[in-house]
Amino acid sequence: MGLMRFLVYPEETLDDWPEVHSAYVSGIDGRVSPTRIEIEGNLVTCRRPHSDSGKFHVPWPVAGHGRPVVSTASLRERDEPYLLTLELARGALSQLRDQCAAWQLLQMATPDEYHKAEKTAFHLFSQATTAQVDPQESSRLAAAAIAQTLSASSLLVESYIEQRHAMLKYSPGHSSKLLGCTFDSAFSDSRHAATIGDVFNSAMIPVEWKHIEPNEGDYHWEDLDRLVDHCDSLRMILCGGPLIDLGPNGMPEWLSQWQDDFINLQSFVCDFIETAVSRYTGRVRIWEVSARANTGVALGLGEENRLALAVRSLETAVRTDFESQFFVRVDQPWSEYQARGQHRLSAFQFVDTLIRSNIGIRGVNLEVSMGFRPRGTLLRDLLSVSRMIDYWSQLGVQLHVTLAVPSSDQHDPLAHPDLEVDHHASRNCWNPALQAEYAVELIRLLTSKPVVTGIFWCHFRDSVPHLYPNSGLTDGDDRPKEALEIFRKFQHGETPLP
């Protein structure tokens, strides 16, 4: 069994640091190892099945930046514990320098402000390295180096975004991206229905099996038909799905009686997909066939059966409407879920397997839901998001990104009961203004990536049942939040500054 140990200073950090239990180790290929975290005093012990070198990733409290995931450089196992803050500073600075060098090779100009910030971060790290005889002082300097590194990272990414936007503006093959949102099936009757065409150019139509067929053979298409008619009348590009959601409570309850009969279960799934796709053929041009199959626990299906079900679902959808585009959605695209030891395939490997099946998949929707626990995406800085998009671009297919960010850490009675807002994660208390800030930063970055062809928000209204707490673009009283105006500006060609 592999073992890594880290000393944490100041020791009181562990008094208010529950995120340490979300830490994990990845190998040289980026694969996340099953990881168990143990704490004794100020010693954090990380256990895993093998003893190869690896990077330790953990949400770390950084002044002015919240608690984003910070990573060490690749470390070998040794008897003497590592000084955690120092190794995190080393890893953060190394990642920043590597990315800067890669962008400079692509002829990107780096601003003087970045070089000053990076030099300050390196100076602090050098002082921390030479002060290891005093772990408290070394950790203090290393913590300052991490904060300065993340500030330098923000400057570098901002320069990248500005230069990418300037270049894409004059690129002959550049086309506009889909900007959309998931609307609930009753949305066409809401007071915002008439204005969404001014905010979005695309609509995600929630073809939710559990609501359409709550009892076997009892279909309810009326609300969905009205929503499709309404969005179609506004000349929005319609995306439908997910047709099957393998996340918790994503499938009809009556289907559970067939969970031990996989052959018949596949037949029910394929029948529903064929019915739904046929109903909206020619109107819905982009279908999200499956969601959360990489992590899902629906119907107690194992990983092999979830993969087989995703393949059969795609085959059925393509056969029913070969002219449409078909996507799959994955959550936790950094694959931190593998740390629990219950999944063999990373999110990337799961989708890569589907693509290699040669069944007509045109793209993948990456669900980035920051600020939620226990099933959300751990908070990342923009450089980490950029690197993640670049990594997924290796698949050679279109990328859509679905975003979810909370606007409050208060209890949300209409959200999924297993999810709550992580009030520790953000750089300030969650509020509508902070939600809008994250929306601006993430959308500006994603629109600078040519491989990203669609950006969607998780849901529009907090006043109806939804998955992620307090993350809609209107509140519980249907009043618009600041993030809604952000989408309107992007839709009209404006680029709000962070």
Side-chain angles (χ1 to χ4, degrees):
M1 176 176 284
L3 185 69
M4 284 187 181
R5 298 185 299 162
F6 300 91
L7 289 171
V8 178
Y9 292 96
E11 296 182 23
E12 54 267 24
T13 299
L14 287 161
D15 295 339
D16 186 28
W17 189 31
E19 296 86 357
V20 66
H21 295 284
S22 302
Y24 60 90
V25 176
S26 67
I28 191 170
D29 59 352
R31 182 180 175 85
V32 176
S33 301
T35 307
R36 187 170 82 245
I37 301 297
E38 300 172 357
I39 299 175
E40 183 177 352
N42 70 326
L43 181 68
V44 175
T45 300
C46 172
R47 299 184 183 274
R48 57 203 175 105
H50 50 79
S51 56
D52 297 339
S53 298
K55 295 182 178 181
F56 184 69
H57 310 261
V58 64
W60 181 256
V62 183
H65 297 273
R67 299 188 177 188
V69 173
V70 184
S71 308
T72 69
S74 185
L75 302 174
R76 64 177 179 85
E77 293 189 1
R78 66 181 191 183
D79 294 333
E80 181 185 358
Y82 289 99
L83 193 57
L84 179 57
T85 317
L86 180 65
E87 296 307 323
L88 291 176
R90 189 193 314 274
L93 193 57
S94 174
Q95 177 177 274
L96 176 64
R97 287 182 156 186
D98 286 349
Q99 188 61 66
C100 180
W103 281 342
Q104 285 178 327
L105 285 174
L106 298 176
Q107 307 302 313
M108 172 182 155
T110 50
D112 292 339
E113 294 83 357
Y114 159 74
H115 290 290
K116 292 177 182 177
E118 186 270 337
K119 185 176 181 180
T120 301
F122 180 72
H123 180 66
L124 288 166
F125 171 70
S126 300
Q127 289 181 307
T129 302
T130 57
Q132 292 183 68
V133 291
D134 183 354
Q136 292 274 7
E137 177 64 11
S138 178
S139 295
R140 184 189 68 81
L141 291 165
I146 293 172
Q148 190 64 35
T149 299
L150 293 188
S151 297
S153 172
S154 297
L155 293 169
L156 182 66
V157 174
E158 177 60 27
S159 178
Y160 167 82
I161 292 171
E162 289 180 354
Q163 292 178 57
R164 288 294 299 176
H165 280 160
M167 183 180 71
L168 290 173
K169 185 177 180 180
Y170 299 103
S171 296
H174 177 59
S175 59
S176 60
K177 301 181 186 296
L178 300 181
L179 288 176
C181 184
T182 299
F183 301 105
D184 57 275
S185 57
F187 180 78
S188 56
D189 298 325
S190 75
R191 63 190 179 105
H192 295 284
T195 60
I196 59 168
D198 188 52
V199 182
F200 306 104
N201 60 22
S202 178
M204 181 66 75
I205 307 298
V207 187
E208 297 175 291
W209 190 3
K210 64 180 180 180
H211 296 312
I212 294 171
E213 192 182 5
N215 301 298
E216 185 179 350
D218 181 19
Y219 292 93
H220 299 274
W221 297 99
E222 298 81 8
D223 288 341
L224 209 60
D225 288 344
R226 284 196 298 271
L227 180 60
V228 169
D229 289 341
H230 177 72
C231 294
D232 207 12
S233 70
L234 296 175
R235 299 182 181 277
M236 303 176 77
I237 297 173
L238 304 187
C239 307
L243 295 172
I244 59 169
D245 182 354
L246 293 176
N249 303 320
M251 303 289 271
E253 290 185 10
W254 60 265
L255 205 59
S256 60
Q257 61 185 310
W258 301 99
Q259 66 183 39
D260 296 324
D261 186 350
F262 189 63
I263 301 299
N264 275 322
L265 177 62
Q266 289 184 92
S267 298
F268 282 111
V269 169
C270 293
D271 285 346
F272 174 74
I273 290 175
E274 185 174 352
T275 301
V277 174
S278 297
R279 189 178 188 89
Y280 299 115
T281 295
R283 305 182 73 184
V284 175
R285 306 302 302 176
I286 300 174
W287 285 101
E288 195 171 280
V289 179
S290 64
R292 306 179 185 93
N294 60 314
T295 63
V297 296
L299 305 176
L301 295 176
E303 190 171 52
E304 185 176 339
N305 282 343
R306 292 198 308 273
L307 185 60
L309 194 61
V311 170
R312 282 295 304 276
S313 301
L314 281 161
E315 287 175 341
T316 302
V318 173
R319 184 176 64 250
T320 305
D321 181 9
F322 63 90
E323 292 185 350
S324 292
Q325 298 184 37
F326 298 97
F327 283 64
V328 294
R329 180 188 298 198
V330 295
D331 58 339
Q332 300 186 44
W334 281 271
S335 301
E336 55 261 43
Y337 61 85
Q338 286 189 288
R340 299 192 298 268
Q342 300 172 358
H343 301 80
R344 182 173 54 89
L345 297 177
S346 68
F348 186 91
Q349 290 171 323
F350 194 94
V351 176
D352 184 51
T353 302
L354 293 177
I355 293 174
R356 290 175 185 271
S357 299
N358 196 28
I359 50 180
I361 183 172
R362 293 291 296 275
V364 55
N365 190 334
L366 307 176
E367 186 173 275
V368 178
S369 51
M370 295 187 184
F372 306 95
R373 61 185 183 189
R375 291 186 286 109
T377 304
L378 297 175
L379 190 72
R380 258 81 174 191
D381 67 343
L382 287 181
L383 182 60
S384 295
V385 176
S386 175
R387 291 169 66 90
M388 182 270 290
I389 295 296
D390 293 344
Y391 178 71
W392 278 88
S393 70
Q394 298 176 85
L395 290 174
V397 297
Q398 300 178 57
L399 297 183
H400 288 176
V401 180
T402 295
L403 301 172
V405 179
S407 61
S408 169
D409 59 6
Q410 298 300 309
H411 174 65
D412 184 347
L414 294 177
H416 194 285
D418 293 343
L419 286 168
E420 64 179 3
V421 175
D422 185 356
H423 64 275
H424 287 292
S426 67
R427 49 184 176 257
N428 294 307
C429 292
W430 290 112
N431 59 69
L434 184 60
Q435 181 194 44
E437 288 179 21
Y438 275 103
V440 170
E441 293 172 358
L442 289 168
I443 296 173
R444 290 183 75 247
L445 173 62
L446 294 174
T447 52
S448 72
K449 300 286 187 178
V451 70
V452 176
T453 58
I455 303 168
F456 297 85
W457 199 258
C458 59
H459 68 267
F460 191 85
R461 298 194 291 175
D462 282 342
S463 60
V464 296
H466 49 271
L467 180 60
Y468 291 108
N470 304 310
S471 54
L473 298 176
T474 62
D475 63 18
D477 296 319
D478 275 350
R479 294 174 299 194
K481 301 179 188 177
E482 296 173 40
L484 183 61
E485 178 63 14
I486 299 301
F487 270 94
R488 190 198 66 79
K489 289 183 177 179
F490 276 105
Q491 170 66 4
H492 287 269
E494 303 176 37
T495 306
L497 294 176

